[in-house]
């Protein structure tokens, strides 16, 4: 291992020497800058766990990484992505209008041609992209209306195959509506029997408001039966009359699901009147609802009927955070019928949200970093061992930036991505060389922002 990355890692001196000291540290990350901590530290890892965090660790590691003062953080999470649709843009045709509805129509046209192998191959490629950029915890939706539940089957297989490298949760997702399309209940329950981790829903896509409420009630009944959390595509529309999120919160309170329910998108909230939004946010806080905003898709798909002026399509991120509601950022699409771009970068998603949600305030930049790390871990229910702390699992990333602010500004490489103490991915920093006048120099765009 040390030989393979000899340009990046210090070679361990001699394993025999380490053995003689009677104390083997598998991995040491030196000169790490941890969030909310002023001085640099060394982080020692043994048997997949963080065993020490100290200003200087004397022992040598079998593998040594010099973080060089760069930010070392828990891995990024993507709590909302559709791995069954990724990398499919243009198949069978491109979305000409750029709308959500044309995207759904194209996805419906594509479904009959899907194969499990195709879903697996595209999903695996997208997972590699996310892992390379520091994301090790992923919640993917799997459309139960894909023929014969092949999306659910393919993504559950991948979850199992990659269980030692990436934590994947699969949501049983009724894209066409549990009641708006045939056999919705049956397909949802079958997905849970197959092993889906989370119950989904899509109330605003049902034919009537009454069916939308049934959609949510059914999701809770399945979640109770299979003892699973809930993550609903909720009010993903600009229609200010779409108020299923209040029903979602009420059911969470009534059925004792506080803290185990996520509302994905919730874009209609952007357009609610302020009196109603104020009341609603209090209910969401009480119900412990996690809200997942998806900057790429929400920015391009919502409020398409506005003409001008053109409202932004995001949920009320700053108001929710200010009132104590947990808000996380999802990537949602990576090159699919709804959003043709994307590369699986959670930093890029946070950067976009900074602009579209008016979150350029100094303290808000740190909140954005929370939204792709700790807030998402809470949403996924995996916050227990998530932080960088002695005794916790050694899942870490070294970001080529000195702070959260610099990371969100530069969208830099993840130099090392580490899972349970093992290096999963490395990326070499880009190098820019500029010759002006008589001088030639390398520049890295860094200014040492603190945050
Ligand atoms: Fe989605």
């Amino acid at each position: 291992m040390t030989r393979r990355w000899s340009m990046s890692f210090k070679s361990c001196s001699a394993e025999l020497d380490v053995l003689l000291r009677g104390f083997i540290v598998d991995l040491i990350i030196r000169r790490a800058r941890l969030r909310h901590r002023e001085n640099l530290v060394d982080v020692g890892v043994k048997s997949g766990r963080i065993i020490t965090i100290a200003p200087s660790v004397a022992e040598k590691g079998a593998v040594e990484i010099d973080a060089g003062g760069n930010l070392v953080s828990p891995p990024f999470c993507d709590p909302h992505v559709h791995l069954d649709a990724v990398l499919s843009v243009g198949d069978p045709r491109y979305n000409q209008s750029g709308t959500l509805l044309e995207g759904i129509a194209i996805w419906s046209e594509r479904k009959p041609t899907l194969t499990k192998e195709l879903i697996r191959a595209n999903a695996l490629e997208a997972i590699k992209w996310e892992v390379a950029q520091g994301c090790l915890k992923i919640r993917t939706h799997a459309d139960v209306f894909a023929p014969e539940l092949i999306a659910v089957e393919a993504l559950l297989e991948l979850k199992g195959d990659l269980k030692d490298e990436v934590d994947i949760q699969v949501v049983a997702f009724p894209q066409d509506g549990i009641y708006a399309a045939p056999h919705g209940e049956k397909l949802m329950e079958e997905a849970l029997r197959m092993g889906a981790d989370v119950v989904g829903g899509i109330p605003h896509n049902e034919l009537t408001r009454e069916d939308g409420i049934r959609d949510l009630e059914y999701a809770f009944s399945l979640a109770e039966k299979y003892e699973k959390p809930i993550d609903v595509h909720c009010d993903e529309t600009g229609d200010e009359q779409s108020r299923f999120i209040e029903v979602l919160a009420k059911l969470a309170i009534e059925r004792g699901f506080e803290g185990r329910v996520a509302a994905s998108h919730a874009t209609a909230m952007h357009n609610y009147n302020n009196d109603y939004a104020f009341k609603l946010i209090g209910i969401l806080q009480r119900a412990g609802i996690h809200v997942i905003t998806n900057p790429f898709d929400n920015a391009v798909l919502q409020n398409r009927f506005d003409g001008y002026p053109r409202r932004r399509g995001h949920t009320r991120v700053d108001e929710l955070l200010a009132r104590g509601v947990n808000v996380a950022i999802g990537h949602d699409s990576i090159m699919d019928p709804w959003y043709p771009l994307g590369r699986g970068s959670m930093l890029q998603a946070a950067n976009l949200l900074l602009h579209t949600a008016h979150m350029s305030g100094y303290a808000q930049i740190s909140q954005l970093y929370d939204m792709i790390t700790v807030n998402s871990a809470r949403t996924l229910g995996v916050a227990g061992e998530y932080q960088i702390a002695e005794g916790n699992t050694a899942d870490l990333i070294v970001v080529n930036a000195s702070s959260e602010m610099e990371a969100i500004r530069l969208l830099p490489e993840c130099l090392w991505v580490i899972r349970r103490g093992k290096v999963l991915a490395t990326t070499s920093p880009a190098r820019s060389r500029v010759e002006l006048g008589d001088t030639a120099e390398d520049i890295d765009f860094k200014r040492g922002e603190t945050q």
Side-chain angles (χ1 to χ4, degrees), residues 32-217:
R33 186 179 302 283
L34 304 187
R35 298 188 71 200
H36 314 302
R37 195 158 172 156
E38 200 164 323
N39 298 318
L40 303 185
V41 293
D42 292 351
V43 179
V45 174
K46 183 176 170 62
S47 302
R49 292 196 171 274
I50 298 166
I51 57 165
T52 182
I53 299 173
S56 178
V57 174
E59 288 78 10
K60 289 180 178 169
V63 175
E64 296 235 349
I65 288 174
D66 182 5
N70 280 314
L71 181 66
V72 176
S73 105
F76 299 132
C77 309
D78 184 355
H80 186 119
V81 65
H82 295 258
L83 288 176
D84 51 2
V86 292
L87 314 192
S88 67
V89 64
D91 180 13
R93 62 185 174 87
Y94 285 93
N95 186 332
Q96 294 294 345
S97 67
T99 61
L100 174 65
L101 295 178
E102 187 174 346
I104 293 173
I106 293 169
W107 177 238
S108 294
E109 292 166 27
R110 187 168 187 263
K111 278 188 214 181
T113 69
L114 282 173
T115 65
K116 194 170 79 173
E117 291 68 32
L118 179 60
I119 294 171
R120 270 191 66 118
N122 285 345
L124 180 58
E125 184 68 13
I127 290 169
K128 289 177 187 170
W129 293 6
E130 292 210 310
V131 168
Q133 295 173 95
C135 181
L136 294 183
K137 296 179 188 299
I138 297 170
R139 175 179 282 179
T140 177
H141 294 259
D143 185 359
V144 301
F145 290 101
E148 297 170 33
L149 287 159
I150 55 171
V152 176
E153 191 178 346
L155 297 179
L156 283 172
E157 280 183 10
L158 263 183
K159 173 194 167 183
D161 292 349
L162 300 175
K163 68 179 185 328
D164 293 331
E165 284 95 15
V166 190
D167 294 318
I168 298 175
Q169 298 178 358
V170 178
V171 185
F173 171 52
Q175 173 72 77
D176 298 339
I178 297 172
Y179 301 104
H183 314 302
E185 285 190 0
K186 181 166 167 283
L187 292 166
M188 285 292 288
E189 176 136 25
E190 185 56 28
L192 268 293
R193 273 199 214 102
M194 290 165 67
D197 305 282
V198 184
V199 180
I202 191 163
H204 58 277
N205 217 29
E206 303 290 358
L207 299 182
T208 65
R209 173 165 176 85
E210 289 72 21
D211 278 356
I213 294 171
R214 284 174 69 206
D215 177 300
L216 292 176
E217 288 173 338

Side-chain angles (χ1 to χ4, degrees), residues 80 82 233 265 332:
H80 186 119
H82 295 258
H233 278 64
H265 297 290
D332 202 7

